């Protein structure tokens, strides 16, 4: 029936209009989680290159040194940091710890994540 | 002197049996200190008598007039127009999400009430048990009974992203009701009702329920507190200690 819950409604998870900070955390964890799963699949494909010999693998690694792929790697690290740190917040609140401070913890998680991402960005792109 | 704003109400329409929804615009001259419900009633009274919506008390007690106003769940009887739009602005009015639509802004809340009933959500509670753990209880004030805060408006269910996709999810209101029933020591309240994949473990901590609740019930806090109680109970069971609580 129209309006009823349905798995097809999942796209509305990502509609930020009118939603509060908690939903931003919810969305962020889903987007970064999906990104990390996609990366894992790509990582498997890269490892598969090993079976095609050293030469094929070396040429593939050379391609990975392209700045576009380095930015891609930075995005993976950013996703890992955000997913992990926000995950700690969700884990704590899920056990009833500091639930009243979930919003403060989300802000702290955001600040720590931004610092971590900045550190890796300088490290990875600084010499580019 | 009364101020008058010109606003447009864009209302999502759908009649019973119809599969398609459509937006319909209504222009109004209105005092911005009136409420969104006043505006909807005025559309019904002067422009379109076929518009259907729920309302009763007009003072945030019955919980009947919950709607989505500019994508946010609001109890429209206590939402001043001034707080959600501006002069010459637009208000998008939609029915609550995650409920079957009966007609226009009316949704079917029967399943929602059944869930509250199953959880034995109390309507009245003593002061000390109605409070949240962190709220101050005044010991020198005589113990009184009061209506508990939840007005069963359904805003929390509409705002919940998990309720969007999982029909079986018990939902924040019913879980809050169980939390309050346990606090009030209701005889048939049973923590085990929340201990399943459609109960407290389905919540994904978006805390939208607490954000939109017009009555400060804090469903998000109560769901997490139920989890803590369940973890403690299960921990005791797994390691042979005494069972804590029901």
């Amino acid at each position: 029936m129209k309006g009823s819950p349905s798995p097809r409604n999942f796209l509305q998870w990502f509609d930020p209009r009118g939603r509060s900070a908690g939903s931003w955390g919810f969305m962020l964890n889903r987007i970064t989680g999906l990104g990390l799963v996609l990366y894992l699949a790509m990582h498997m494909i890269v490892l598969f290159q090993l079976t095609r010999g050293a030469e094929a693998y070396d040429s593939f690694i050379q391609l990975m040194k392209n700045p576009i792929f380095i930015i891609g790697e930075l995005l993976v690290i950013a996703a890992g940091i955000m997913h992990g740190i926000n995950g700690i917040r969700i884990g704590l609140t899920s056990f009833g710890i500091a639930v009243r401070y979930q919003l403060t913890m989300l802000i702290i998680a955001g600040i720590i994540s931004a610092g971590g991402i900045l550190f890796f960005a300088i490290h990875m792109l600084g010499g580019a | 002197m009364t101020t008058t704003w010109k606003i447009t109400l864009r209302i999502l329409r759908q009649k019973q049996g119809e599969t398609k929804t459509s937006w319909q615009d209504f222009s109004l001259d209105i005092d911005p200190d009136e409420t969104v419900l006043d505006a909807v009633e005025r559309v019904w009274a002067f422009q379109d008598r076929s518009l259907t919506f729920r309302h009763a008390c007009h003072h945030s007690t019955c919980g009947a007039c919950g709607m989505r106003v500019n994508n946010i769940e609001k109890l429209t009887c206590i939402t001043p127009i001034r707080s959600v739009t501006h002069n010459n602005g637009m208000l998008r009015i939609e029915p609550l999400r995650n409920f079957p639509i009966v007609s226009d802004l009316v949704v079917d809340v029967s399943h929602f009430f059944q869930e509250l009933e199953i959880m034995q959500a109390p309507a009245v509670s003593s002061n000390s048990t109605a409070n949240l753990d962190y709220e101050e209880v005044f010991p020198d004030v005589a113990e009184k009974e009061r209506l508990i805060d939840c007005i069963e408006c359904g805003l929390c269910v509409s705002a919940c992203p998990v309720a969007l996709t999982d029909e079986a999810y018990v939902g924040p209101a019913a879980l809050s009701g169980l939390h309050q029933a346990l606090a009030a020591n209701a005889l048939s309240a049973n923590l085990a009702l929340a201990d399943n994949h459609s109960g407290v473990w389905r919540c994904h901590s978006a805390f939208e329920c607490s954000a939109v609740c017009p009555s400060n019930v804090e469903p998000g806090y109560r769901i997490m507190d139920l989890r803590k109680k369940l973890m403690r109970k299960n921990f005791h069971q797994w390691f042979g200690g005494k069972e804590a609580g029901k």
Side-chain angles (χ1 to χ4, degrees):
Chain A
M1 195 184 285
K2 182 80 182 168
S4 300
S6 160
R8 284 173 297 178
N9 292 340
F10 83 97
L11 280 178
Q12 290 184 52
W13 285 350
F14 306 105
D15 182 355
R17 290 176 300 170
R19 300 281 58 116
S20 66
S23 269
W24 284 93
F26 174 85
M27 278 180 248
L28 199 66
N29 251 35
R30 262 125 209 91
I31 291 166
T32 53
L34 288 170
L36 290 169
V37 168
L38 183 68
Y39 170 75
L40 187 66
M42 287 166 61
H43 187 61
M44 292 299 170
I45 293 166
V46 171
L47 289 180
F48 179 71
Q49 300 301 316
L50 280 170
T51 64
R52 296 174 61 190
E55 205 169 295
Y57 185 76
D58 286 345
S59 65
F60 192 84
I61 290 299
Q62 199 58 39
L63 180 68
M64 289 295 115
K65 287 179 179 170
N66 184 303
I68 291 170
F69 286 100
I70 290 173
I71 289 169
E73 281 181 346
L74 181 61
L75 285 176
V76 170
I77 290 168
I81 290 172
M82 288 190 284
H83 195 84
I85 293 176
N86 192 30
I88 291 169
R89 165 186 157 267
I90 291 169
L92 286 173
T93 54
S94 295
F95 287 104
I97 300 167
V99 180
R100 288 181 64 207
Y101 306 103
Q102 62 88 16
L103 183 58
T104 310
M105 288 200 292
L106 183 66
I107 294 166
I108 293 169
I111 292 168
I112 295 171
S113 300
I117 294 163
L118 190 67
F119 171 80
F120 279 99
I122 292 167
H123 186 72
M124 292 170 71
L125 304 173
Chain B
M1 196 179 80
T2 308
T3 313
T4 302
W5 281 8
K6 187 178 278 297
I7 61 166
T8 303
L9 251 66
R10 177 164 284 180
I11 301 177
L12 194 67
R13 308 293 302 267
Q14 182 188 26
K15 290 298 174 194
Q16 207 160 22
E18 291 177 358
T19 52
K20 281 191 173 175
T21 54
S22 60
W23 293 98
Q24 191 172 358
D25 288 357
F26 300 94
S27 292
L28 284 178
D29 291 325
I30 197 161
D31 180 344
D33 290 322
E34 288 187 76
T35 66
V36 174
L37 182 59
D38 291 330
V40 173
E41 284 183 317
R42 199 163 296 177
V43 167
W44 171 81
F46 300 111
Q47 298 191 39
D48 188 343
R49 300 288 279 202
S50 73
L51 177 67
T52 47
F53 57 102
R54 293 198 317 148
H55 67 101
C57 75
H58 287 73
H59 58 254
S60 73
T61 299
C62 71
C65 65
M67 299 172 199
R68 277 166 54 84
V69 179
N70 289 345
N71 301 303
I72 304 174
E73 286 70 15
K74 296 279 186 190
L75 204 59
T76 53
C77 69
I78 53 166
T79 305
I81 286 165
R82 186 185 293 284
S83 70
V84 284
T85 189
H86 51 84
N87 193 13
N88 297 314
M90 178 179 285
L91 278 180
R92 283 162 53 100
I93 314 283
E94 299 168 74
L96 295 181
R97 301 188 303 182
N98 309 329
F99 293 96
I101 295 171
V102 175
S103 175
D104 294 334
L105 303 170
V106 180
V107 294
D108 182 357
V109 290
S110 49
H111 182 68
F112 170 73
F113 285 135
Q114 282 164 8
E115 294 282 8
L116 287 166
E117 191 72 30
I118 289 166
M119 296 295 179
Q120 300 294 317
V124 178
S125 205
S126 64
N127 265 340
S128 53
T129 56
N131 279 16
L132 288 163
D133 294 351
Y134 55 82
E135 285 177 336
E136 192 178 356
V137 178
F138 300 100
D140 50 339
V141 174
E143 183 72 353
K144 294 268 192 327
E145 289 215 317
R146 73 176 206 205
L147 286 171
I148 61 145
D149 296 322
C150 179
I151 55 171
E152 301 169 2
C153 60
L155 300 196
C156 54
V157 174
S158 177
C160 175
V162 176
L164 265 171
T165 49
D166 187 354
E167 199 170 13
Y169 179 43
V170 171
L175 291 170
S176 294
L178 176 63
H179 185 268
Q180 287 169 316
L182 288 165
N185 285 317
L187 286 175
S188 50
N190 189 346
L191 186 57
L193 287 170
D195 190 13
N196 54 68
H197 70 277
S198 299
V200 288
W201 307 113
R202 178 60 76 216
C203 170
H204 285 273
S205 313
F207 294 100
E208 281 296 340
C209 49
S210 292
V212 300
C213 179
S215 203
N216 198 33
V217 173
E218 284 274 17
Y221 175 87
R222 292 182 189 279
I223 291 170
M224 297 309 158
D225 199 52
L226 282 176
R227 280 184 176 174
K228 191 161 74 175
K229 285 180 168 53
L230 276 169
M231 283 300 295
R232 194 175 291 148
K233 182 185 170 191
N234 292 338
F235 208 75
H236 278 284
Q237 280 179 346
W238 294 336
F239 296 100
K242 278 188 179 176
E243 192 176 314
K246 281 195 262 187

